[in-house]
Amino acid sequence: MSLYNNDTKSRGYLFVRNGLIITFLILFAVATIFPIYFMIISSFGDPVEAGAMSYSIFPSKISFESYKFFFNFSPHSWDWLLNSTIVAACITITNVFFATLAGYAFAKMKFKGKNILFAILLGSMMIPGQVTQVPLYILVVNIFELQNTYTALIMPSIVTVYNIFLVKQFMTSIPKEIIEAAKIEGCSQPKIFWYIIMPLSKTVMAVLAILTFMSAWNEFFWPFLVTNTMDMQTIQVGLKNFRFANTTYFAPMMAGATISAIPMFILFFSLQKYFLEGVTVGAVKG
């Protein structure tokens, strides 16, 4: 009888615990998804000033006028999307390539000063990005005179220390016996990297691509600093043009934000398999 009571008590405890966990997760999911839902719903409103908007969770009607207004508002609306695509794609490609090279060098190659250099790189991660914005701006704009160019938008983010660190930690888990066997077969370092390391690193490279593209696509502050004409602005900077001193075109701004979110969704879901593998790497032994 006591065993039955203990079993019943255990089942009741598990039921309450699981119910609380599920409730918390549902509330967290709703809080996370609601801003995206509100952005999409608001984008279907009429292109009127923010003061005349009727905000509601459930739209009374569906209209695509705000999307038309977004593209007709400025002759550079398409340029904003093109600029963001070029900048984000270039930054993603360079980060994946150079971070993979550097991560391989730090993880599997031996050279003098490797540990010191890696420690310096890790130390640079402790410096807030806001601290380096002023000297970086002076360097790019005043010294190199690259303001309002793709070079100014791309060059500071060619490769990041975090991506190098992430790749290095991943490649540390690759057995060194594979590389030694390739060297015995006569493979050079470029061949080892291209034919052995890169195929084994597809997971971490996909994770780098997703995280880097999202970061570059959503960047606002640096493109805002180094661009001074509308034709060179990215989509995130271009959206600020819908806000004026006395009013804001809220629905067209939400339409532009919805359009700007589409590439990120496409990239994430196309590489979702590799991203999930990257998250679970090292979680299971065997």
Side-chain angles (χ1 to χ4, degrees):
M1 187 68 178
S2 60
L3 292 176
Y4 175 79
N5 291 335
N6 289 335
D7 184 62
T8 304
K9 185 177 180 180
S10 176
R11 289 184 179 181
Y13 168 77
L14 291 176
F15 178 81
V16 173
R17 187 198 65 179
N18 294 341
L20 291 175
I21 293 175
I22 292 172
T23 302
F24 172 77
L25 292 176
I26 292 175
L27 293 175
F28 181 78
V30 171
T32 303
I33 296 174
F34 181 77
I36 301 175
Y37 167 80
F38 184 73
M39 175 186 71
I40 296 174
I41 291 302
S42 300
S43 69
F44 292 116
D46 292 324
V48 295
E49 297 180 357
M53 283 287 295
S54 57
Y55 302 99
S56 61
I57 298 178
F58 303 103
S60 57
K61 66 174 183 177
I62 300 296
S63 173
F64 291 94
E65 293 300 320
S66 291
Y67 288 89
K68 295 180 182 178
F69 186 92
F70 170 78
F71 288 108
N72 295 330
F73 174 76
S74 170
H76 303 296
S77 297
W78 286 104
D79 292 334
W80 301 339
L81 292 170
L82 178 62
N83 293 338
S84 288
T85 302
I86 293 174
V87 172
C90 291
I91 291 176
T92 300
I93 293 172
T94 57
N95 267 271
V96 171
F97 181 70
F98 290 118
T100 305
L101 282 174
Y104 171 67
F106 281 117
K108 297 301 180 183
M109 297 180 67
K110 297 180 180 179
F111 54 91
K112 290 184 178 180
K114 181 178 74 171
N115 295 332
I116 297 175
L117 180 58
F118 189 68
I120 293 173
L121 289 176
L122 290 182
S124 67
M125 293 178 63
M126 308 303 171
I127 302 174
Q130 293 81 358
V131 175
T132 62
Q133 291 298 314
V134 173
L136 184 62
Y137 177 82
I138 295 174
L139 183 67
V140 171
V141 176
N142 296 347
I143 298 179
F144 293 148
E145 297 181 352
L146 296 173
Q147 189 175 16
N148 213 47
T149 62
Y150 285 122
T151 305
L153 293 169
I154 297 171
M155 186 175 66
S157 303
I158 286 179
V159 64
T160 63
V161 178
Y162 174 78
N163 287 343
I164 295 175
F165 173 75
L166 185 64
V167 176
K168 189 262 183 184
Q169 294 302 108
F170 176 86
M171 289 189 177
T172 302
S173 63
I174 297 177
K176 61 180 180 180
E177 289 79 10
I178 297 177
I179 299 175
E180 292 174 355
K183 289 180 179 179
I184 293 174
E185 294 295 328
C187 286
S188 60
Q189 285 290 357
K191 286 186 177 180
I192 292 174
F193 177 78
W194 185 261
Y195 292 108
I196 297 176
I197 299 300
M198 287 190 67
L200 292 175
S201 304
K202 290 188 298 181
T203 300
V204 72
M205 292 170 68
V207 173
L208 285 185
I210 294 174
L211 298 180
T212 305
F213 185 89
M214 292 177 64
S215 176
W217 185 272
N218 290 323
E219 180 65 30
F220 173 82
F221 187 66
W222 180 250
F224 178 69
L225 283 181
V226 297
T227 56
N228 51 24
T229 59
M230 293 183 68
D231 63 307
M232 282 302 300
Q233 291 176 348
T234 59
I235 181 63
Q236 308 302 338
V237 180
L239 290 177
K240 75 175 180 59
N241 295 309
F242 291 92
R243 182 173 184 177
F244 302 95
N246 299 320
T247 187
T248 300
Y249 285 101
F250 184 76
M253 184 185 292
M254 292 299 102
T258 302
I259 294 172
S260 70
I262 293 176
M264 291 185 292
F265 284 114
I266 294 175
L267 179 68
F268 177 78
F269 287 111
S270 62
L271 299 177
Q272 182 182 18
K273 173 184 175 182
Y274 298 106
F275 182 78
L276 295 178
E277 288 180 1
V279 172
T280 58
V281 165
V284 180
K285 293 183 179 180

